[in-house]
Amino acid sequence: MSDYLPDEVVREILHRLPAKSLIRFRCVSKSWNYLITSSAFIDSHLTQSLSHPSNSNKLIFRHCDIAAKVEHYKFIHNDSSFDQYQNVEFPLTNCFRLIGSVNGLFCLIQDEQFILWNPCIRKFITLPRDYDHVLSRSVFGFDARTNDYKVVRIAFPYTPKPLLVEVYSLKEGSWRRKAGAAASLLPGITRDLSCRRDAFINGAVHFGVRDCINTPRLKVGPSVLSFDLSDEVFHMTALPKFGAKTDYDIFGFRGSLSVVYIELVDNKRSCFIWVMKECGVVKSWIKLYTINLTGEFRSVLGFQKNGHIFMQAGLGKNARLSSYDPQSQQLKNLGFYGWLSYSCVHYYVENLVLLDKPVLFDKQNGELSRWVGSRKRKFWVESEDERVRDKETICKLKKAMVDQQEERVRDKETICKLKKAMVHQQEEIATLKTEMTSLKSQMATLKSLSLLVQQWNNQVENTSSGVGDVGSYLG
């Protein structure tokens, strides 16, 4: 991959680069292009991006121009200052609807055609239409266990019939009908029209439902129908009790299921925010905040990570996106105006998802998934800051390569010194071996001499003993 850097070092450096820079760096070499477009690198780069705090405070804000029937989207670069943003040009020109977004990947629908779009790499794919064309609710989510993005369609019947559940898997590239999961639910479960917003929270998609046959409608509170994207099974959770004619929205609040509902009491509109502390435990519902919707307050649009609440303040064209601090009860104008009745705010992370997906052609419907964007569009023009960051990154890579080359030169010199030392040691070992051989020869000689001396001593002792015997005899 590189003549100067080990492959693992290059991967570690590339993992830390922004997605837009990686798109351009694919042109460096075939090996870089192969690495950057691999599924394993795309998954690990997303994990790295999600772990960095500065990459997870970006927002996308949707608001509508009802008169012109146009939807507007803005990328907000910091969820605390809101002073930097860019207008987003979606790949569709006609009327479309945003189903949801996860980690910077968006799911849109236009004329019953589902589309997955990654604005960071300017690419979208159209999903196959081999699903039942019936009135349904759809939610977009992410299965963290398999790193798979899924679209869930549920057709709620208004008669006691089983639900129709279909799941699209991006990794599999096809729709699947979940008849077994639908059969596990009691007949009569249908969509609750009072629920205006479904949501993806903590690995599951959540729908507002009610029981239309087993219990009287107005005597039982609505429930949340949750579909786990990993196990692909349903769970039912009863909601806190509130008025039968109350509209409510499902949100995620710091990873927990949250329900926001507005109730009219004594001609005064109040907003109640409930949070489920323990997943699936009905008794863990707590009323977190109560907001009086008199004056400027109109509705809740979402939650910030610091606990503040996105709210609509004002009406009509004068409506504005605001941030409400429930502790100090202060409202801050964020500087975005227009019709906010159908607005929403989502967090997003720049990523490379869809980069490894081929350009597909749907023969049945004659539609092509294609690259989106023009260099003339303001949103896609490379900024001066991005060019500076790319130059700095290239300089760092060059410096790292030079340092690595110098280290290799030093390593070669060290190896030569070690080789010379080894040769010198080998010569010393050979000398020692020669001396050892000489010593062994001398030891053998000494041993032979020692044996001769021992023999002589024995002969001398024998001789002395013989002379003594003769003397005694003569005496």
Side-chain angles (χ1 to χ4, degrees):
M1 185 175 292
S2 170
D3 295 334
Y4 305 103
L5 291 175
D7 292 351
E8 58 272 15
V9 176
V10 173
R11 287 194 200 93
E12 187 63 27
I13 293 174
L14 294 178
H15 273 141
R16 300 176 183 273
L17 296 180
K20 290 182 180 179
S21 297
L22 292 172
I23 294 297
R24 292 186 287 273
F25 289 168
R26 291 182 305 157
C27 301
V28 171
S29 65
K30 290 183 178 180
S31 60
W32 278 32
N33 178 64
Y34 178 80
L35 171 64
I36 294 172
T37 56
S38 66
S39 299
F41 182 86
I42 292 172
D43 292 342
S44 56
H45 180 267
L46 175 60
T47 302
Q48 174 73 23
S49 299
L50 290 173
S51 65
H52 202 286
S54 63
N55 293 333
S56 59
N57 60 355
K58 300 178 182 180
L59 296 162
I60 182 170
F61 169 55
R62 166 186 179 251
H63 61 103
C64 305
D65 185 342
I66 296 179
K69 296 182 179 180
V70 176
E71 297 190 12
H72 300 281
Y73 293 83
K74 291 181 174 64
F75 278 156
I76 302 171
H77 298 296
N78 193 307
D79 66 347
S80 58
S81 62
F82 291 87
D83 56 350
Q84 295 182 358
Y85 67 90
Q86 291 173 310
N87 292 320
V88 185
E89 292 190 36
F90 270 54
L92 305 179
T93 56
N94 299 327
C95 182
F96 65 93
R97 182 166 58 90
L98 175 64
I99 298 298
S101 68
V102 182
N103 299 335
L105 186 66
F106 297 84
C107 180
L108 317 172
I109 187 170
Q110 180 188 56
D111 298 331
E112 296 187 355
Q113 175 67 66
F114 286 94
I115 295 165
L116 297 183
W117 180 54
N118 188 340
C120 184
I121 64 174
R122 305 197 308 273
K123 184 178 182 180
F124 74 88
I125 62 172
T126 57
L127 307 190
R129 290 192 181 185
D130 50 351
Y131 56 82
D132 289 338
H133 296 269
V134 294
L135 187 62
S136 62
R137 297 283 292 180
S138 302
V139 180
F140 180 55
F142 177 68
D143 180 3
R145 184 186 299 175
T146 59
N147 285 329
D148 193 11
Y149 294 84
K150 296 180 179 180
V151 182
V152 180
R153 295 179 68 251
I154 299 183
F156 294 98
Y158 288 93
T159 58
K161 293 181 179 180
L163 278 67
L164 174 63
V165 183
E166 293 174 308
V167 179
Y168 177 85
S169 165
L170 180 60
K171 281 196 171 183
E172 297 175 3
S174 61
W175 291 92
R176 289 180 286 106
R177 181 174 293 188
K178 301 296 294 183
S184 65
L185 298 172
L186 294 174
I189 299 299
T190 188
R191 173 189 171 191
D192 188 359
L193 298 178
S194 298
C195 181
R196 301 175 300 181
R197 192 190 306 264
D198 305 316
F200 165 72
I201 308 164
N202 198 22
V205 292
H206 305 270
F207 303 85
V209 297
R210 59 182 172 81
D211 190 341
C212 68
I213 62 170
N214 291 339
T215 54
R217 290 188 183 181
L218 301 182
K219 292 184 180 181
V220 63
S223 300
V224 170
L225 178 64
S226 304
F227 184 74
D228 189 292
L229 293 182
S230 296
D231 300 328
E232 296 190 348
V233 294
F234 282 108
H235 302 281
M236 288 280 290
T237 305
L239 290 178
K241 293 182 179 180
F242 44 79
K245 295 183 179 180
T246 301
D247 292 333
Y248 64 96
D249 299 297
I250 300 175
F251 289 101
F253 180 81
R254 294 180 175 176
S256 298
L257 179 64
S258 173
V259 176
V260 177
Y261 71 92
I262 298 173
E263 191 170 355
L264 186 64
V265 180
D266 298 330
N267 294 324
K268 294 182 180 179
R269 297 173 70 251
S270 296
C271 173
F272 302 93
I273 300 176
W274 289 74
V275 175
M276 177 176 279
K277 288 296 184 178
E278 296 182 36
C279 182
V281 180
V282 177
K283 293 183 179 180
S284 67
W285 281 112
I286 63 168
K287 187 187 293 185
L288 198 61
Y289 303 118
T290 299
I291 304 173
N292 188 359
L293 295 182
T294 58
E296 292 186 315
F297 297 104
R298 302 307 303 172
S299 63
V300 173
L301 301 177
F303 295 96
Q304 292 181 254
K305 292 183 177 180
N306 60 5
H308 293 186
I309 304 171
F310 288 116
M311 298 197 70
Q312 173 188 345
L315 292 172
K317 295 181 180 180
N318 298 322
R320 58 192 179 276
L321 178 65
S322 302
S323 177
Y324 175 72
D325 183 355
Q327 302 299 329
S328 64
Q329 298 185 357
Q330 296 296 315
L331 190 68
K332 177 183 177 181
N333 183 7
L334 301 180
F336 298 97
Y337 295 86
W339 300 89
L340 302 182
S341 300
Y342 302 96
S343 299
C344 60
V345 185
H346 296 274
Y347 280 93
Y348 84 99
V349 177
E350 292 184 354
N351 64 82
L352 301 172
V353 179
L354 300 186
L355 191 61
D356 58 333
K357 301 300 178 184
V359 177
L360 304 175
F361 183 74
D362 189 347
K363 295 181 179 180
Q364 181 178 356
N365 300 289
E367 297 189 4
L368 182 69
S369 301
R370 59 189 181 279
W371 288 88
V372 188
S374 167
R375 300 303 294 179
K376 297 180 181 179
R377 292 182 176 178
K378 181 179 179 180
F379 178 72
W380 304 120
V381 174
E382 183 181 1
S383 66
E384 185 64 28
D385 291 339
E386 289 176 333
R387 285 194 288 269
V388 171
R389 285 196 297 268
D390 286 348
K391 289 181 180 178
E392 292 175 351
T393 301
I394 293 173
C395 289
K396 290 179 181 178
L397 286 172
K398 287 182 178 179
K399 185 177 181 302
M401 290 180 179
V402 171
D403 293 342
Q404 188 73 14
Q405 189 175 16
E406 292 176 353
E407 288 182 3
R408 288 196 173 192
V409 171
R410 289 194 294 269
D411 290 343
K412 288 181 179 179
E413 293 174 353
T414 303
I415 291 172
C416 289
K417 291 179 180 179
L418 288 173
K419 285 183 177 179
K420 289 181 179 179
M422 289 178 65
V423 169
H424 181 67
Q425 286 190 358
Q426 287 176 352
E427 291 176 351
E428 289 183 348
I429 291 172
T431 302
L432 289 173
K433 285 182 177 180
T434 302
E435 292 177 354
M436 288 290 293
T437 302
S438 176
L439 286 172
K440 286 181 179 180
S441 177
Q442 292 177 10
M443 288 291 291
T445 302
L446 288 173
K447 190 174 182 180
S448 300
L449 290 174
S450 176
L451 291 173
L452 289 174
V453 169
Q454 186 67 30
Q455 291 176 358
W456 291 341
N457 287 334
N458 293 335
Q459 291 178 0
V460 169
E461 288 179 356
N462 293 332
T463 304
S464 298
S465 176
V467 171
D469 294 340
V470 172
S472 61
Y473 174 77
L474 291 176

